[in-house]
Amino acid sequence: MLALRLARGSRPLVQLRRLLVAAACAGTGFLLLYVLAEATARPAGSFPRLLWAMVPLAVTVQFAVAVARTDPATRPREGLDAVGLGPVRLTLVATVSTAIACTLGSALALAAFLHLRGELTGLPFDGAAAALLHADRPLPVAAALTLLALIPLSASAATALALRPHPPLAPQTALPWGIAVTACGLAALAYAGPGGAGTPAGWAVTAVGLSLAGPGLAYACGALVQAVRPGALRLLAGRTLQEEAPRLGRPLGVLCAIGAGALTAAALPARVGLGVPLGPLTGPACALVVLCAAATLITRAVEVRQDRSDTRTALRDMGTPGAVLRKAATLRATALAAVCGPVVWGVAQLTSLALTR
């Protein structure tokens, strides 16, 4: 009840973020239902399709967690402990709010799916995609509800895990672990080949490796900015980037993995028949993945900006011009692009070699 009241009284921008989470969950839920309908019509190859559908699910859950972290209603404030809203209670509120938004998206996905199959009448475009969604075959109700429930359950569990009370993250990370996991993913891709059932697993391991390496890359960018006799501007930009590395690094690594996958897919079709793993919904699924990953990175940047509001205020009180803060932010973004661009290109080249060995 408290989560509903806080959600209803939130600002429009916060409500927009929650609606975006619901929209992402609706797209992912529709994709899962399509995979289920395909499995009823063509059981062969249904498991690799389900594995590919887990990619939009993962980035949707990541986006939901990022939105929950930036929700003002779930951020600790002084005096809330006196009314029973300590860190544990606020985490519970964030978990319930995330579950509500994701459940709304899953319900919308089910309604749209059934309507396009022609099972819900009275609205425009009734049955417009009956052939694509295999309306001639019955949809397993229990399996459909299980797949749709997977979205809010995964997002809620990830939110509770991410927002639980824990010590602050150390600014320096372990970059070698990410490199090692990425190498394992490339080896799995080389072993499976472009059409093998292990290809989705290889891509997943590679993405996890880049996600683990992301904080280390961001930290290295901060060190690079401060290299060779830095001035005040470069010191401010570099040290700020190093402090933000643990929170910006993970979504940055995921976005790098998506970029590498896009470059690989664009380079391979002329030589290797990769096909379309999710049929006609492959394009919308890729768009959903890219949008969720980009939105997650932007949301985490907003969270970091909110957390550093006191620091910016202190710098302004000391007479620091606003132009200096803007130049420092531009320098941080430029350094990230300069380092992550070659990383994306290099991983794409390695995956192309692994798939065409």
Side-chain angles (χ1 to χ4, degrees), residues 14-341:
V14 178
Q15 299 285 21
L16 177 61
R17 291 180 194 145
R18 291 170 179 160
L19 289 177
L20 289 177
V21 170
C25 293
T28 302
F30 191 92
L31 185 63
L32 291 174
L33 291 175
Y34 168 75
V35 171
L36 178 62
E38 277 284 310
T40 60
R42 289 187 282 270
S46 58
F47 184 66
R49 285 194 297 267
L50 181 61
L51 290 180
W52 281 116
M54 293 296 105
V55 177
L57 174 62
V59 294
T60 300
V61 169
Q62 185 189 32
F63 178 45
V65 173
V67 169
R69 293 177 66 99
T70 58
D71 194 336
T74 59
R75 298 176 72 84
R77 294 185 180 90
E78 295 182 1
L80 289 182
D81 287 336
V83 294
L85 289 177
V88 176
R89 185 74 179 275
L90 289 177
T91 300
L92 180 61
V93 170
T95 302
V96 173
S97 299
T98 302
I100 292 173
C102 295
T103 302
L104 175 62
S106 296
L108 291 175
L110 180 61
F113 188 83
L114 295 178
H115 175 66
L116 293 177
R117 276 171 60 99
E119 299 179 17
L120 298 179
T121 58
L123 294 174
F125 305 107
D126 177 41
L132 175 65
L133 303 180
H134 305 286
D136 56 329
R137 293 180 176 271
L139 186 70
V141 178
L145 294 179
T146 300
L147 287 177
L148 291 177
L150 188 63
I151 303 173
L153 290 177
S154 301
S156 300
T159 299
L161 185 63
L163 297 183
R164 74 192 189 281
H166 61 278
L169 298 175
Q172 194 165 6
T173 54
L175 181 61
W177 284 104
I179 297 175
V181 175
T182 303
C184 292
L186 294 174
L189 284 173
Y191 179 78
T199 304
W203 279 112
V205 175
T206 303
V208 169
L210 288 174
S211 176
L212 292 175
L217 288 175
Y219 192 89
C221 288
L224 181 64
V225 169
Q226 301 175 76
V228 190
R229 300 178 64 181
L233 178 63
R234 287 201 289 148
L235 281 175
L236 176 62
R239 291 181 180 177
T240 301
L241 187 55
Q242 287 178 326
E243 292 180 4
E244 297 172 354
R247 287 182 290 184
L248 287 180
R250 295 292 173 85
L252 181 66
V254 172
L255 198 59
C256 288
I258 294 172
L263 290 179
T264 303
L268 284 184
R271 296 175 292 168
V272 179
L274 291 179
V276 281
L278 296 176
L281 293 187
T282 300
C286 293
L288 176 64
V289 169
V290 173
L291 290 175
C292 284
T296 301
L297 183 59
I298 294 173
T299 305
R300 294 305 292 269
V302 170
E303 178 195 356
V304 170
R305 181 178 176 81
Q306 291 174 350
D307 291 342
R308 298 190 64 83
S309 58
D310 294 339
T311 303
R312 292 197 309 273
T313 302
L315 289 173
R316 289 194 180 100
D317 292 341
M318 294 170 59
T320 305
V324 173
L325 299 180
R326 290 190 293 271
K327 288 179 181 178
T330 303
L331 183 58
R332 292 196 297 270
T334 303
L336 288 175
V339 171
C340 293

